Amino acid sequence: MKFSEFFDGGSDRDLAECIKVATKITLDDASRGDMRGLLFEYARMRPIRAQAPSRASRGAFISFFTAHIHPMPAIAAILIVVISGSTVTAAETALPGDIFYPVKIHVTEEVRAVLATNSKARADWAVERAERRLEEAAVLSLSGRLDDATRAEIDTNLEAHVRHAAEDRARLESENELSEASEIEKDIGAVRIARANILDGARRNPRIAAKAAAPAEASDAALTSMQMKAAPAATERAQQEKITPDGPETVARGQRTAAKVRIEATRKFLKARNSLTDEERGRAQERLEAATEAFASGDENNARGNTEGAFSNFNSALEAATDIETLISGQPSVLGASSEGARNERKNRVEQKNTDIGGSNDTTPKEDGKDSSGSGD
Amino acid sequence: MENPSEWEGEKAFLDAYDAYGDAIFRFLAMKISDREVARDLTQETFTRAWDFCVEGGEIREWRPFLYRTAYNLVVDTYRKKKTVSLDALIDDEGFAVSDESASMKTTLTHAEMSRVRVAIDELDEMYRDVILLRFSEDLPPKDIARIMGLSENVISVRIHRGVLKLRQLLGPNTKHI
């Protein structure tokens, strides 16, 4: 069969063959082998039964790091192994004030930072760490545990992550990687917008904070001016650091980050906490589903290049997620005001049950096809 | 490895890498058009799959599981816009082109393959993803539906419309190649 027949009356089978041939690419042998070796070492490093690694596996683990001549991560990683795998797992879900939180901040996350092989990877990780801090703040806020000292601690750590991301962005720029530098700059802008929503917003009525971040009209100019009004703290910082105002894409991205953080935090909160009444839980679940749906629509619009539509979707997602916090905090909301009795009852239960808040933060799907990430089409 | 179940788990994991590592890399490379990032995300896909096992999960079907993890990774953590065309990506010397379909390769010239890639690139992302998963990766609509979190019916409709669009993009000028 000739090429002319593939698409001109040819069958789908011919089409399939043609696409397959035209897109057939593979890893080169060296990369494939290297990656296999790394995965083998990784599997040895984290045995399936989460028990203390055997002597043999420790040897393999050490050889993996020494072979890459990174003494600092090797030392930190060995520390992780000594602490034990279950401790590291526990640390991953720890929140400020938890016993394992310093392990999370100063060991496991630092190891990943040092292992990042280039400026882009380091900057990406720094941005992700900043988002983690915001998520911690959101979970604590939902559970009424975000006091001023904790907020300040989170903010300090977040600023350090943002500073590291900015340093790597500057390196990328000096290496003439302008496109990647621009992406990081937008990510940093997005984190600052989300920070204003979550950390500053937590000081006042969160729903009002979300409303303040919403534009009446999502035109480019309105988006920019709205953002500058909505995030005075971010604006001050931008002025101090001589950062140019964020463009509409960054603003939409900031709303996306804030919505994502609140959705994830709410999911963890609802999963771990049993102090809500059935009715409250049902309403919260409804709003969470609405938020997740709006968020997915925002991603679809983003993929199509429809920034305004995406902004509107992310804003809806943010409002829906913020409604849940309003409900839980007992403030009037679109969910309906909580009765005084219900609030008192909940307060009593919270005092009795000081449940730790945690949960998975990965994007690994469940085997039944349900996605733990909450994102998707 | 002292514990037989650990050994079996490792073996299944590495077998899955041997069987699907290239396919996951190809899927990621075509989705984000950046081979270095695709390489990193391929590794991340497998380490997350292993983490899932470590935390007590059981993976019965590695292939759809890995694709879905890779898809979620891109959706959740990688928001960079496409900067390189599929054609430029595959033309890059950094990729080894498989020799599996040698006979087809002799039938299709370099220019013809290039036209197919350009046409795929012109498809909307919603069609492009399903077309590549269906025809480049040979995944059935049921698996694609699980990967993308959509119904099988929606996937079938997208495949049908994507094929029509692709034929439109290539059909009229095909004979002049």
Side-chain angles (χ1 to χ4, degrees):
Chain A
M1 174 157 296
K2 293 192 181 300
F3 181 71
S4 58
E5 296 172 82
F6 289 143
F7 297 99
D8 200 0
S11 69
D12 281 1
R13 190 174 173 181
D14 300 326
L15 172 67
E17 278 188 64
C18 188
I19 292 172
K20 192 173 291 183
V21 171
T23 59
K24 200 74 181 175
I25 53 174
T26 62
L27 283 163
D28 57 84
D29 289 343
S31 296
R32 189 185 300 115
D34 287 349
M35 196 181 296
R36 195 180 198 282
L38 287 170
L39 291 173
F40 173 75
E41 295 290 350
Y42 186 79
R44 283 289 171 96
M45 190 174 81
R46 294 200 70 198
I48 275 184
R49 291 197 166 181
Q51 59 194 18
S54 66
R55 186 175 297 174
S57 64
R58 282 186 197 175
F61 176 73
I62 292 166
S63 70
F64 158 59
F65 282 100
T66 52
H68 287 73
I69 321 173
H70 287 308
M72 283 309 291
I75 292 165
I78 290 165
L79 184 59
I80 292 176
V81 172
V82 170
I83 288 169
S84 93
S86 56
T87 304
V88 172
T89 305
E92 271 300 290
T93 56
L95 294 167
D98 293 346
I99 191 166
F100 289 127
Y101 189 68
V103 176
K104 175 183 182 181
I105 293 287
H106 301 299
V107 182
T108 60
E109 289 191 356
E110 282 301 321
V111 168
R112 280 189 65 179
V114 181
L115 284 177
T117 52
N118 54 49
S119 301
K120 173 71 168 50
R122 274 193 301 274
D124 282 342
W125 175 232
V127 168
E128 192 178 330
R129 288 181 84 181
E131 290 178 5
R132 281 177 165 218
R133 298 296 82 81
L134 289 174
E135 192 174 309
E136 289 161 2
V139 174
L140 288 173
S141 181
L142 280 165
S143 55
R145 292 160 60 198
L146 186 64
D147 54 31
D148 285 346
T150 308
R151 186 188 292 112
E153 181 192 353
I154 288 174
D155 205 12
T156 302
N157 286 331
L158 186 147
E159 280 304 318
H161 302 323
V162 168
R163 194 171 57 250
H164 291 148
E167 286 167 5
D168 281 310
R169 189 206 66 80
R171 277 192 206 100
L172 284 168
E173 203 169 55
S174 67
E175 292 162 4
N176 212 27
E177 299 285 353
L178 300 181
S179 168
E180 293 188 334
S182 169
E183 283 298 313
I184 299 299
E185 188 169 1
K186 287 172 191 166
D187 281 340
I188 291 172
V191 164
R192 289 202 182 283
I193 291 167
R195 180 204 163 281
N197 177 274
I198 291 164
L199 278 178
D200 293 343
R203 292 174 190 275
R204 50 187 187 272
N205 185 325
R207 183 167 177 79
I208 292 170
K211 277 284 184 193
E217 293 178 13
S219 67
D220 288 1
L223 283 174
T224 306
S225 62
M226 173 282 309
Q227 188 273 325
M228 299 306 281
K229 286 175 193 167
T235 309
E236 277 175 32
R237 286 163 203 259
Q239 286 167 350
Q240 286 164 8
E241 298 169 22
K242 297 182 180 175
I243 295 171
T244 52
D246 297 314
E249 193 185 335
T250 303
V251 177
R253 200 179 285 196
Q255 291 294 94
R256 183 188 189 280
T257 302
K260 181 183 170 188
V261 164
R262 283 195 183 272
I263 287 170
E264 283 302 319
T266 304
R267 190 169 285 132
K268 288 179 180 177
F269 177 81
L270 292 177
K271 186 179 171 187
R273 201 169 175 103
N274 295 311
S275 61
L276 300 176
T277 64
D278 288 345
E279 189 186 356
E280 286 170 338
R281 181 172 289 278
R283 284 176 179 171
Q285 202 63 46
E286 265 180 33
R287 298 305 290 159
L288 181 60
E289 282 167 19
T292 306
E293 208 168 291
F295 187 88
S297 300
D299 272 345
E300 277 189 9
N301 272 323
N302 243 348
R304 295 190 194 107
N306 180 3
T307 304
E308 291 180 12
F311 179 87
S312 175
N313 293 138
F314 292 139
N315 203 52
S316 300
L318 187 53
E319 275 200 39
T322 309
D323 274 342
I324 299 166
E325 182 169 349
T326 313
L327 165 75
I328 291 164
S329 66
Q331 294 166 0
S333 78
V334 295
L335 296 165
S338 302
S339 71
E340 189 67 29
R343 280 201 298 278
N344 289 338
E345 188 190 340
R346 187 167 60 251
K347 190 179 174 187
N348 290 337
R349 282 198 303 273
V350 170
E351 284 169 359
Q352 285 173 356
K353 186 180 178 79
N354 189 16
T355 313
D356 189 24
I357 309 299
S360 169
N361 191 32
D362 67 16
T363 57
T364 312
K366 299 294 176 269
E367 180 63 352
D368 61 2
K370 288 178 182 175
D371 182 5
S372 65
S373 70
S375 301
D377 201 331
Chain B
M1 183 65 50
E2 294 161 6
N3 188 324
S5 66
E6 285 180 34
W7 184 84
E8 283 168 13
E10 265 190 27
K11 185 176 182 305
F13 176 60
L14 293 175
D15 285 349
Y17 171 75
D18 291 339
Y20 307 121
D22 271 332
I24 294 298
F25 169 72
R26 179 171 54 243
F27 168 65
L28 287 164
M30 289 193 290
K31 182 120 182 83
I32 60 181
S33 297
D34 186 324
R35 64 182 175 180
E36 295 302 326
V37 176
R39 210 170 276 154
D40 289 346
L41 289 184
T42 301
Q43 192 170 309
E44 181 75 9
T45 298
F46 280 90
T47 55
R48 287 192 181 204
W50 181 253
D51 288 346
F52 179 74
C53 297
V54 169
E55 287 162 14
E58 184 190 354
I59 302 174
R60 289 189 290 274
E61 293 176 58
W62 281 88
R63 195 182 186 209
F65 184 94
L66 290 169
Y67 275 107
R68 178 154 182 143
T69 303
Y71 183 81
N72 285 348
L73 259 178
V74 174
V75 170
D76 288 350
T77 68
Y78 194 81
R79 301 186 298 275
K80 183 181 174 182
K81 283 191 174 176
K82 233 162 73 70
T83 53
V84 182
S85 71
L86 185 59
D87 193 36
L89 176 83
I90 294 178
D91 252 6
D92 195 296
E93 291 177 356
F95 284 119
V97 179
S98 170
D99 289 323
E100 276 175 23
S101 303
S103 59
M104 181 65 82
K105 280 179 74 182
T106 56
T107 308
L108 291 183
T109 66
H110 181 81
E112 288 166 344
M113 287 198 287
S114 179
R115 278 205 59 204
V116 173
R117 293 195 284 259
V118 169
I120 292 171
D121 245 353
E122 285 181 33
L123 291 173
D124 285 347
E125 192 173 17
M126 63 190 291
Y127 296 128
R128 187 173 183 268
D129 283 353
V130 293
I131 289 289
L132 287 172
L133 285 169
R134 178 72 189 97
F135 297 120
S136 184
E137 306 303 328
D138 269 336
L139 286 165
K142 185 181 174 187
D143 284 355
I144 299 173
R146 283 180 65 188
I147 290 162
M148 300 183 74
L150 296 169
S151 74
E152 195 174 337
N153 189 42
V154 168
I155 295 299
S156 297
V157 169
R158 286 190 186 181
I159 290 171
H160 178 70
R161 289 178 183 167
V163 166
L164 287 179
K165 182 78 178 166
L166 202 54
R167 286 188 195 282
Q168 279 173 8
L169 288 168
L170 281 160
N173 300 317
T174 304
K175 289 173 183 172
H176 302 298
I177 289 176

